[in-house]
Amino acid sequence: HVQLVESGGGSVQAGGSLRLSCSYTRRPNYVAWFRQGPGNGREGVAAIVILGGTTYYDDSVTGRFTISQDNAKNTLYLQMNSLKPDDTAMYYCAATQGFICYRSSWPDESNYNYWGQGTQVTVS
């Protein structure tokens, strides 16, 4: 059983930065950040393979967001720079201890069976 806890959300002006954290109780194989804005479904933002550190990003955040990990602290990070109002959403950390067979499928919500409670990011 994996428990996830997100933190680091807040309110910033456009162009500002935030760093989100996701702490886990047991090491997953894949961890992803999803977000859900008003009236939208959840969309994949970024993902990381814990063993090896391979990362994936949605085109909307490439070059602005960076996902990273500190395994010694059982923590994932999402560094968000050059924030835009369109980034406003509830951000969720999601994880699986299984495999994702095809790299292109990482944004599929159904791949992840563990979810955090979410942390709100507001960009004005």
Side-chain angles (χ1 to χ4, degrees):
H1 181 71
V2 177
Q3 291 182 314
L4 305 169
V5 179
E6 306 100 327
S7 63
S11 181
V12 299
Q13 294 183 336
S17 298
L18 286 172
R19 188 178 75 163
L20 306 183
S21 299
C22 173
S23 297
Y24 54 85
T25 57
R26 296 184 180 183
R27 182 185 61 79
N29 290 333
Y30 294 80
V31 180
W33 286 96
F34 286 78
R35 65 186 181 187
Q36 185 170 14
N40 298 323
R42 290 182 181 180
E43 62 176 353
V45 177
I48 187 168
V49 183
I50 298 300
L51 297 180
T54 303
T55 58
Y56 307 96
Y57 297 94
D58 184 77
D59 289 343
S60 66
V61 305
T62 297
R64 300 188 299 120
F65 291 10
T66 302
I67 188 171
S68 62
Q69 63 180 339
D70 187 341
N71 282 344
K73 298 180 179 179
N74 288 358
T75 300
L76 279 293
Y77 302 100
L78 184 67
Q79 179 66 47
M80 305 185 295
N81 298 325
S82 301
L83 284 163
K84 306 174 181 179
D86 286 347
D87 297 319
T88 296
M90 184 73 75
Y91 283 71
Y92 297 89
C93 183
T96 180
Q97 292 182 304
F99 283 107
I100 299 176
C101 295
Y102 300 99
R103 292 177 293 177
S104 61
S105 69
W106 72 263
D108 292 341
E109 184 176 348
S110 62
N111 287 322
Y112 305 92
N113 56 339
Y114 301 105
W115 292 82
Q117 82 288 350
T119 184
Q120 178 67 38
V121 172
T122 302
V123 185
S124 61

